[in-house]
Amino acid sequence: MAGTKYPDMWVDPEDDPRESDAVSLGDERATIMEYMRTQRLTLELKCSELDAAGMAKRSVEPSTMSLLGIVRHMADVEHSWMRRIMDGQDIPRLYFDPEDRDADWNGAVADPVVVDEAWAKWRTECEFTDAFVANAPDMGMVDPKGEVSLRDVLIHLIEEYARHNGHADLIRERVDGRTGQ
C-alpha cells in the first residue's frame, strides 16, 4: 500500500481514500459523520500492513500504548459512548477489568487472534455508531438520562480519534519508519 511518489507514506495523495475533490455541502449530520469517517480511515491507514508484532509494539517506556491498543481503546470508546450512554444499554465495557483500569492497552498483545478480535470489535462498534446516527431524530437528541447530546458525543469521538491518530503517527514511525499523512 506504500505510495509510489512518496514511498515512506501509505498512499500517494491522489490515492488517499480520505480525500475528496468534492466539497461537502451536507447538513450537520453528514458533515460530522464525514469527519468521523476520515478519522477512522486514518486509524486504519496507520495500522495497515502490520503483523501482530507490529500492531502490539509499544510506543516508549513506560507507556503501554500501541497501535493495537489504540484500536481496542477506540472500539471501547465507541461502545461506551454510543451503546451504553446514548442508547442506554446496560452492558459491560468491552475491555474492562477491575484489577486493570488500562486493560484495553495492556491486553494488546502480539497475537494474531487478539488483533483480529480487536478489528472485528472496532468495526462492529463503528457500524453501530453509524446506524444509531442515521436513525437518530436529530443531532440534538440526548441520552436516556438527559445528560449529553448526540452532537456532543460525536464531536468527542472525533476529538478522541484525532488525539490517538497523532499518537499512531509516532508509533507507526517507531515500528517501521513510515510517516503518515
Side-chain angles (χ1 to χ4, degrees):
M1 185 178 211
T4 54
K5 291 181 185 174
Y6 308 101
D8 62 330
M9 298 179 97
W10 284 276
V11 295
D12 290 327
E14 62 271 11
D15 297 326
D16 192 331
R18 299 167 300 171
E19 303 300 323
S20 171
D21 292 337
V23 174
S24 175
L25 297 176
D27 63 6
E28 179 186 28
R29 185 184 323 238
T31 301
I32 288 174
M33 292 311 291
E34 179 59 23
Y35 275 89
M36 180 80 82
R37 183 189 79 82
T38 299
Q39 291 301 317
R40 288 171 174 163
L41 281 170
T42 299
L43 179 58
E44 287 185 288
L45 281 171
K46 306 288 180 190
C47 298
S48 66
E49 301 177 359
L50 288 177
D51 61 12
M55 287 291 292
K57 185 172 181 135
R58 303 302 195 213
S59 57
V60 292
E61 294 294 331
S63 176
T64 59
M65 191 175 286
S66 65
L67 292 168
L68 178 56
I70 293 172
V71 172
R72 288 165 52 100
H73 178 70
M74 291 312 303
D76 193 45
V77 168
E78 289 212 32
H79 173 86
S80 291
W81 278 105
M82 296 307 298
R83 289 186 193 265
R84 299 176 75 229
I85 294 176
M86 289 308 300
D87 201 38
Q89 295 179 27
D90 184 19
I91 55 176
R93 291 181 52 193
L94 292 179
Y95 300 107
F96 178 75
D97 180 343
E99 304 291 317
D100 181 4
R101 63 184 281 255
D102 288 330
D104 46 355
W105 303 101
N106 294 333
V109 297
D111 178 340
V113 172
V114 173
V115 173
D116 291 345
E117 176 187 81
W119 280 119
K121 285 182 179 182
W122 179 76
R123 286 186 177 92
T124 296
E125 297 311 318
C126 291
E127 289 169 7
F128 181 87
T129 296
D130 293 350
F132 186 92
V133 173
N135 293 314
D138 61 66
M139 299 300 285
M141 75 166 282
V142 295
D143 69 289
K145 293 182 180 178
E147 297 175 349
V148 64
S149 73
L150 178 59
R151 176 185 302 106
D152 290 336
V153 167
L154 292 172
I155 297 301
H156 172 71
L157 289 174
I158 292 166
E159 179 273 335
E160 186 88 3
Y161 272 105
R163 184 164 53 93
H164 288 303
N165 282 337
H167 297 134
D169 273 335
L170 298 173
I171 296 169
R172 181 59 188 256
E173 191 170 0
R174 184 168 191 269
V175 170
D176 65 4
R178 286 175 83 181
T179 57
Q181 56 249 58

